[in-house]
Amino acid sequence: MSAAAPLLAVRDLRVVIGGRHILHGVDLDVAAAGVTALLGRNGAGKTTTVRGILGLVPRTGSVLLGGEQTVRLATHALVRRGIGYAPEDRGVFAGLTVAENLRLAERRGAGEPAYDLVHELFPELRQRARQAAGTLSGGQQQMVAIGRTLLNGNRLIIADEPTKGLAPRVVTEVAGVLERAAQAVPVLLVEQNLSMVRRLAEHCVVLADGRTSHRGPAAALLADPEAMRRLLGVGRAGGAPTGTDRFEKGGV
Ligand SMILES: Nc1ncnc2c1ncn2[C@@H]1O[C@H](COP(=O)(O)OP(=O)(O)O)[C@@H](O)[C@H]1O
Ligand SMILES: [Mg+2]
């Protein structure tokens, strides 16, 4: 952990859905700058953690945003406090243009929308303003999804698996998108692509079965094959990575 106070501090986050305990004690800090990666096998509880932070599912525990307790706040109140969310499915409206998608994300009371910042980071979004979002590449759609989170002067961006299902070349494009975004705003990045984590993340948090199993510097974890195997099931003890792990390696 960095010496500076974290922007977001989650402690003992618990989520029960339909009587089923999905999260039973997630602890994580998001640093006040750069990218913090949230890792874990498929089904570990990463998306539920993000949805819990955002109040999209009922949750208990402690979620401090800039020191303020937010665990009892509704989603709209959290959004007003400056959390931008790029969900797992991107949430881009295919039939609307790029400009319309951005306009829909403008938030009243958040001041002048930061189109200058969005267009400076992603000039393509200006060039393609009148193009239907459904005709964009996967990487360009991620630019829309991330661009939207930058419009309203947010303090934190949460991106859930932005590279999921993308070709390696597009993964590289999305890495650049997030790298640029993280220069403006701290990012909590849910990610399965370890090349992305290596390139972007300073800190990482690993979940297993709805709990935090590891927190620390990303580089130290990535450099430790035994920990990678134990925490993420990547590779075999003392051997090369298997072809069956869900964690992808290419593309950045
Ligand atoms: N709305 C829900 N109802 C019931 N079970 C759910 C719901 N959302 C997630 N789960 C279950 O919770 C576990 C964690 O899911 P999720 O947070 O999506 O994991 P991850 O994002 O790490 O792949 C999985 O077993 C999933 O099936
Ligand atoms: Mg998920």
Side-chain angles (χ1 to χ4, degrees), residues 132-215:
T135 66
L136 298 172
S137 73
Q140 291 159 349
Q141 289 190 21
Q142 274 302 336
M143 285 185 197
V144 175
I146 304 287
R148 274 190 316 213
T149 68
L150 293 167
L151 265 188
N152 298 310
N154 284 325
R155 307 152 81 179
L156 169 65
I157 293 173
I158 303 180
D160 193 350
E161 294 208 46
T163 65
K164 195 175 185 176
L166 299 180
R169 185 184 51 79
V170 186
V171 171
T172 305
E173 197 179 328
V174 172
V177 165
L178 279 167
E179 204 162 48
R180 280 173 269 163
Q183 282 163 12
V185 187
V187 175
L188 175 62
L189 171 66
V190 178
E191 191 48 78
Q192 298 270 31
N193 184 315
L194 297 177
S195 305
M196 287 281 289
V197 178
R198 184 170 285 113
R199 171 164 164 185
L200 296 171
E202 194 178 340
H203 307 285
C204 71
V205 180
V206 183
L207 303 187
D209 300 325
R211 284 192 178 80
T212 296
S213 56
H214 177 83
R215 296 199 276 165

Side-chain angles (χ1 to χ4, degrees), residues 17-18 20-23 39-51 57 88 160-161 164 190 192 207 210 246:
I17 299 174
R20 185 170 158 214
H21 292 254
I22 311 271
L23 301 184
L39 311 174
R41 293 180 221 218
N42 206 15
K46 303 179 297 297
T47 295
T48 306
T49 295
V50 165
R51 291 173 60 80
V57 289
E88 208 166 8
D160 193 350
E161 294 208 46
K164 195 175 185 176
V190 178
Q192 298 270 31
L207 303 187
R246 240 185 68 79

Side-chain angles (χ1 to χ4, degrees), residues 50-120:
V50 165
R51 291 173 60 80
I53 290 168
L54 285 158
L56 291 165
V57 289
R59 74 286 197 213
T60 62
S62 172
V63 179
L64 296 177
L65 175 66
E68 182 195 8
Q69 182 59 257
T70 66
V71 79
R72 277 173 288 279
L73 295 182
T75 303
H76 64 85
L78 283 156
V79 168
R80 265 209 309 275
R81 278 166 176 74
I83 304 183
Y85 178 37
E88 208 166 8
D89 64 3
R90 297 188 195 123
V92 170
F93 296 100
L96 301 183
T97 65
V98 168
E100 287 164 343
N101 267 279
L102 291 173
R103 203 172 315 129
L104 273 181
E106 290 178 17
R107 197 169 71 234
R108 272 167 208 239
E112 198 58 31
Y115 281 101
D116 288 353
L117 172 66
V118 172
H119 288 145
E120 183 194 321

